[in-house]
Amino acid sequence: LAKTTQPISMDSYEGQEVNITCSHNNIATNDYITWYQQFPSQGPRFIIQGYKTKVTNEVASLFIPADRKSSTLSLPRVSLSDTAVYYCLVGGFSGNTPLVFGKGTRLSVIA
Amino acid sequence: GAVVSQHPSRVICKSGTSVKIECRSLDFQATTMFWYRQFPKKSLMLMATSNEGSKATYEQGVEKDKFLINHASLTLSTLTVTSAHPEDSSFYICSAQGQGSNTGELFFGEGSRLTVL
């Protein structure tokens, strides 16, 4: 299972763009990269998923370089409600393979 | 999107009693579900993989006789914390991957907070 490394914490002001980078040097060919958001006392919530290049949805963008050994979650114009822990996970293809969580990045958005 | 529901969301029990937590996939069938536990300000720790119709696979260090997992149908997995003690107090979260999914996306329940007095 690929191990991931993320910054422990980040601070940002409201309205700014936030980029959180995750390292996953041992990512396997079949692995997808998935980002989750977790608020206190709630289960993680899916944000975005990608395999390579760039993926964008209504809440975030995910940038993945050609070697796929890292990925960057980009949150445009964050608000106070984006204060949460963000987890980067790698895995996929097999339904029997659990996703292992790293320590995550605690994002604090300040007014 | 797919929905996973847990019940109860909160439970308080006395030391020595057993507590059952249910995890249901509401709009899809899940052959595999995963159980995690999370301590305050810590990451999720995988406890076990629950397979429909067969025995669960436990992670190293997780006592299978203490954390009983049953996955009797494609939409329900249960975690029973037997003879609970205060150190079992934690946030328990289940997740499931839908049938036919090949991207590894998991759907998570809302979590169940267990407090053992």
Side-chain angles (χ1 to χ4, degrees):
Chain A
L1 298 172
K3 180 180 177 180
T4 60
T5 304
Q6 305 173 232
I8 295 296
S9 64
M10 294 181 71
D11 294 333
S12 175
Y13 287 102
E14 275 191 297
Q16 289 187 328
E17 176 185 83
V18 172
N19 296 309
I20 306 174
T21 297
C22 177
S23 296
H24 28 80
N25 292 317
N26 297 322
I27 189 169
T29 303
N30 290 348
D31 286 341
Y32 279 76
I33 300 159
T34 312
W35 285 78
Y36 290 86
Q37 175 192 56
Q38 187 183 28
F39 297 114
S41 296
Q42 293 186 27
R45 188 182 71 163
F46 172 87
I47 301 175
I48 197 167
Q49 183 180 72
Y51 185 80
K52 61 180 179 181
T53 63
K54 176 184 175 182
V55 180
T56 298
N57 63 20
E58 61 275 10
V59 297
S61 294
L62 179 60
F63 299 91
I64 305 169
D67 65 6
R68 303 201 326 123
K69 294 187 176 183
S70 66
S71 60
T72 299
L73 173 71
S74 181
L75 304 172
R77 297 180 298 281
V78 295
S79 64
L80 295 176
S81 61
D82 292 319
T83 295
V85 179
Y86 293 82
Y87 294 97
C88 157
L89 290 88
V90 293
F93 275 87
S94 170
N96 294 325
T97 304
L99 292 182
V100 177
F101 282 77
K103 298 183 186 297
T105 297
R106 187 173 298 274
L107 173 65
S108 298
V109 180
I110 308 163
Chain B
V3 176
V4 175
S5 178
Q6 282 184 242
H7 177 81
S9 58
R10 291 177 180 271
V11 57
I12 301 173
C13 70
K14 293 182 179 180
S15 185
T17 61
S18 294
V19 174
K20 179 184 287 187
I21 301 170
E22 294 186 346
C23 177
R24 294 180 184 274
S25 55
L26 298 185
D27 54 359
F28 67 103
Q29 294 183 326
T31 53
T32 303
M33 292 184 175
F34 306 104
W35 286 94
Y36 295 84
R37 69 186 298 184
Q38 186 175 34
F39 292 108
K41 297 193 183 298
K42 298 293 185 182
S43 183
L44 284 78
M45 183 182 74
L46 179 68
M47 297 176 67
T49 301
S50 171
N51 302 299
E52 187 267 335
S54 65
K55 292 182 178 180
T57 302
Y58 291 82
E59 294 300 301
Q60 190 173 10
V62 178
E63 299 176 57
K64 62 180 182 180
D65 294 330
K66 180 165 189 61
F67 299 100
L68 301 179
I69 292 173
N70 184 281
H71 194 155
S73 77
L74 288 172
T75 59
L76 173 65
S77 175
T78 60
L79 168 68
T80 301
V81 182
T82 62
S83 187
H85 291 284
E87 58 265 30
D88 298 323
S89 298
S90 187
F91 192 53
Y92 293 88
I93 307 170
C94 72
S95 67
Q97 187 173 35
Q99 283 185 321
S101 172
N102 64 355
T103 63
E105 179 184 348
L106 289 181
F107 303 101
F108 287 86
E110 313 94 324
S112 300
R113 184 163 300 283
L114 170 64
T115 302
V116 184
L117 303 177

